[in-house]
Each structure stands twice: as structure tokens, then as C-alpha cells.
Amino acid sequence: MKRKLQINLAAQSMFNDRGYSATSMRDLAKVVGIEPASLYNHYSSKEHILNAICFDMAEQFFEALNDLPKIESPSEELENSIRSHIDVITKNIDASRVFFLEWKHLNEPSLSEFKQMRKSYEAKFVSIIKRGIKLNEFHHIDPKVAVFTLLSSLNAIYDLYKPGRKFKTEVIADNICHILLSGISKIKNK
Amino acid sequence: MKRKLQINLAAQSMFNDRGYSATSMRDLAKVVGIEPASLYNHYSSKEHILNAICFDMAEQFFEALNDLPKIESPSEELENSIRSHIDVITKNIDASRVFFLEWKHLNEPSLSEFKQMRKSYEAKFVSIIKRGIKLNEFHHIDPKVAVFTLLSSLNAIYDLYKPGRKFKTEVIADNICHILLSGISKIKNK
DNA sequence: TTAATGCACTAACGTTCGTTAGTAAAAATA
DNA sequence: TATTTTTACTAACGAACGTTAGTGCATTAA
């Protein structure tokens, strides 16, 4: 089972660097240190590797969110959710990038299943924001726009965290939380 | 010259939908309605098409930023810059996606040149934020983290704007500006 | 009107792709 | 110890890839 993990990790890194389509099974095999045909003893196809990476990450995002304590204040609940999300990303920096960008190379029926999972994950955030607006804790923004803004901005983590690793995880998390929750400017906007 | 534009536009859409590597010259030719070999009467290679798309977009982003009036208040300058950026994206929804995601398939020396341009574009935002912090208009956030958060969140526009086209450009722009500048929460965070 | 250019075509090249078949050695199981 | 399973290998398959060569027609320039 060590080989399978090895292949998975190498694929994470390579799918992320070059993209799924630009990564060949021959390249992957070379990095792992085996012959291309040997990969098929562990995964039945290239797409199954992508499948494993994407759905593993989906599971992790969901679990992290579900493990959070129930909290009344939407503000705090949102912060917890954002931090949980950031936590999963920073602990799976390559895989989460694949999850975000390469999922479109999945085939049916996995593709539909994946889209469905993403949708319900986003829905959890949307409902927090809706509640926050109702309770007058949040500004009157469009919940969907807010969630998309929020989730995509978290992709920034990759650029900040991976290349030079100049930033500490907590610093990034604190800053992003602050920007999204309190904004950049102190001055009343609009 | 009409054919060349036609090819360029089809490539924008296809590179965006399937990714650069997963788009074949044969597929592209089929969409344009000509034979694969005929593409080479207009572009000397597949990569030259990607080149054209990426550098055209870079130019547009730069021009839009440079055309902005000089303004003292960093808050206003930042808002103008964000809106200019959003404007360029919404007017080139496919191309800007290619610009953001597929540039890594460029080869040297274009790749280095491209990275350099992105860097100096980001630097413009960083300097606005630094100035805002110095003038006490902005919170004490890390300028680089702020810029990356900001720019990546603008990718959200694609997901919101393209698929169903349910949102109006201005609504999206207003909401994103608001979130980034004033934050989501009204309650003091941290 | 003639020459030059632009743009499409057919045909094919060498390469790389994901994957399979068949085999042998090593590891796990009985 | 005997047997089954796992995992690696070599070799090769057909398909798809980016691209080139060579040709002819249509438009433009002289």
C-alpha cells in the first residue's frame, strides 16, 4: 500500500504543476521510479488517480466543516468555517489545488457527483451568510457572491504558501480572515 | 484577418473549458470549421495562440490600470483599481481565465517575460496597500497577502458571471468591492 | 493581364499517449 | 512448505498528438 500512496502523492504534485492533461503516465512512473505499466497494478486508469485525489479532498473539506462546534453567532461560525477550510488547504497544498482546478477532467458519472458535492459545500457557507444578514451581523451583500469571493480568495494560499514558503500558515489565515470579515479599509466604503 | 480572430476566440473558449493541454489543434480546427493544417497559415504553433491570448490580456490589464486618474486616497485608488480589474475580466471572460490559469504552459522565453509582467502588476497593488497602511487608511494587514487574496478572489467573477449569467456585472463588482474593502461582517473582528 | 500573395486543402511524418498482454519474482497466506 | 496474491517487468497495441510538405484556387498588387 506504500506504493499506491507514493503514486498518489507524486500525481498530486505533478497534476498541480503541469496540469492533469499535461502529465503523462510515463512521466508519473519515472518520478515514482517504476515502469509505466506497473502503475496499473495500483490504479486502473489515469482518471482513477484524479478521482482518488479529488474525492479524498472533498471528504476532508466536509469532515473539517462538520467537526466544527455549533455556534450561534454567524460571525464566529463563518470565521471558524474559513479557518477550517484554510487548515485543510495548508495541510494538503498540492491536492487541494488539484481539487480546485483539475476536477473538470473527471468523467461521468464522477463528474456529476463531484459537482454535487461542491455545490452542497458551498451551500453550507451560503446559509451561514444568509443567517448573518438576517441577524444583522453581516452587510447586505449577495450571499452567493460572498461565498464565491471567499472561496476563490482562499486559492491565494497556494501562491503564498507553496513557492517560497515565506509565510507561516497562521499569518496567512489571520490575514485572509481579517480581509474577508473586516475588509481592507477602515474607512466606510460606499 | 478575420480568420485569425476567429481562431483566437475559439481558442480562448476551448483553452478555458478544457485547458490548454487537453485542447488539440484538430479540435480547434473543427470548431473553426477548417482543416487542422490550415491553422498554421495564421499561427505558427499552438503555443503562439496561447502566447497571443496571454499577452493581449496582460496588456489590457496594464492599460486599464494606467488609464486611471491619479488619486491621493489609497482607499479610492484601490477601489478604482479593483473596478478596473473587474472591468477587464468581465469584458474578456474567457481570455482572462486563460490568462490566470493556462499561462504556465507558455515556454521560455515567453514564460519569464509573462511572470515578470504579472509581478509588476501585482506590485502596483502592493504599493497602493502599503501607502494605505502608512496613511492609516487600511488595517495592518500584510500587503502581499492582501493583494493575493484580492486578485484571486476576482477569479470568482468567472464562476458567477459565465455559466448562468444570472448576475449583472455591476452587482458583482459592487459586492466584491464591498467585501474586500469593508469586509463581510459588521462586527469588529479580532 | 500577369505576378504575387493568402488561405484552404490532402496526405503524411515521427512522436507520444493511455493502456493491455504476458511473464516472472517476491511477498503474503495457508 | 505449498499456494495464492501482489507487484514489478518487457513489449507492444492502436489512437491521437503537433506539425510539415506540397498543391491549387482565389484574391490582391503590379
Side-chain angles (χ1 to χ4, degrees), chain B residues 2-114:
Chain B
K2 215 165 78 182
R3 252 303 137 76
K4 191 164 185 174
L5 181 63
Q6 218 177 108
I7 294 169
N8 192 296
L9 291 175
Q12 284 178 28
S13 164
M14 297 176 77
F15 289 174
N16 185 26
D17 287 343
R18 327 179 184 187
Y20 174 75
S21 298
T23 304
S24 75
M25 294 297 266
R26 284 168 175 85
D27 289 340
L28 177 56
K30 192 167 279 175
V31 168
V32 174
I34 57 177
E35 292 298 316
S38 303
L39 292 170
Y40 292 84
N41 285 321
H42 304 278
Y43 287 97
S44 60
S45 71
K46 187 184 174 188
E47 202 216 324
H48 272 76
I49 306 177
L50 180 62
N51 235 284
I53 297 171
C54 287
F55 282 89
D56 278 3
M57 283 308 302
E59 205 174 304
Q60 285 199 54
F61 279 118
F62 265 110
E63 269 179 21
L65 216 56
N66 287 333
D67 287 353
L68 255 34
K70 292 283 161 243
I71 278 179
E72 286 140 77
S73 157
S75 243
E76 283 179 42
E77 192 187 3
L78 183 57
E79 173 160 359
N80 285 344
S81 302
I82 293 175
R83 284 187 186 276
S84 138
H85 188 95
I86 293 179
D87 203 49
V88 175
I89 292 178
T90 50
K91 280 177 181 153
N92 304 272
I93 194 76
D94 281 322
S96 59
R97 255 287 171 115
V98 175
F99 172 85
F100 280 121
L101 298 177
E102 304 298 324
W103 59 267
K104 59 179 160 185
H105 295 108
L106 292 170
N107 290 331
E108 297 294 355
S110 303
L111 183 59
S112 292
E113 195 189 334
F114 183 85

Side-chain angles (χ1 to χ4, degrees), chain A residues 30-49:
Chain A
K30 193 167 280 175
V31 167
V32 175
I34 58 177
E35 292 299 313
S38 303
L39 293 170
Y40 291 84
N41 286 321
H42 304 276
Y43 286 97
S44 60
S45 71
K46 186 184 174 188
E47 203 217 323
H48 272 75
I49 305 177

